[in-house]
Amino acid sequence: MKVVSLESLDYKGKKVLLRCDLNVPIKEGIIKDDGRIRASLPTIQYLLAQGAAVIITAHLGRPKGERKPELSLSPVAVRLGELLGKDVKFSSDIIGADVSTLKSGEILLLENIRYEAAETSKDESERKVLASELASYADVFVSDGFGAVHRKHASVYDVASLLPHAAGYLVSAEVEVLRK
């Protein structure tokens, strides 16, 4: 199994689509355990230090293509900003998200990717349309959502076929454990 390391690509001045596992327990808008957010920090910090603009996509729960307010990633954007000590922009849009003004060193978290039915569709052509939209936002794709990396979803599987890609630190560490 060949894994392209995070350090093997150039990120300076580029927009990076980063797939994270931010599926944290939230009750009444309060995050009960931020462990998965914290696990994503090393990859995010590395990309920022390399001069990238980071566009994060992630899921929360199983909304099955419906917008369910209790499964919004909005509280995750706030917590991620607190942990990084910097502003994390949040987009309630997934399709048509405005990434044009995103600059190096900035972060944008897209709303719950599973609000889009195409994300988990069994129809490859539906997934490809969503993956193409996501790929249009970025120059490079980094996969760091180990909890979802085995899924044939648009933001995990299909987008990797459209952009230069690498594994984030979390995925690389887990692959190393599996190798042993």
Side-chain angles (χ1 to χ4, degrees), residues 80-101:
L80 182 57
E82 291 169 355
L83 292 169
L84 289 168
K86 67 183 303 148
D87 183 47
V88 173
K89 298 175 184 187
F90 180 74
S91 174
S92 59
D93 295 319
I94 301 162
I95 300 294
D98 183 12
V99 300
S100 63
T101 60

Side-chain angles (χ1 to χ4, degrees), residues 67 90-94 109-112 115:
R67 286 190 174 257
F90 180 74
S91 174
S92 59
D93 295 319
I94 301 162
L109 175 60
L110 301 176
E111 182 56 279
N112 189 340
Y115 281 0

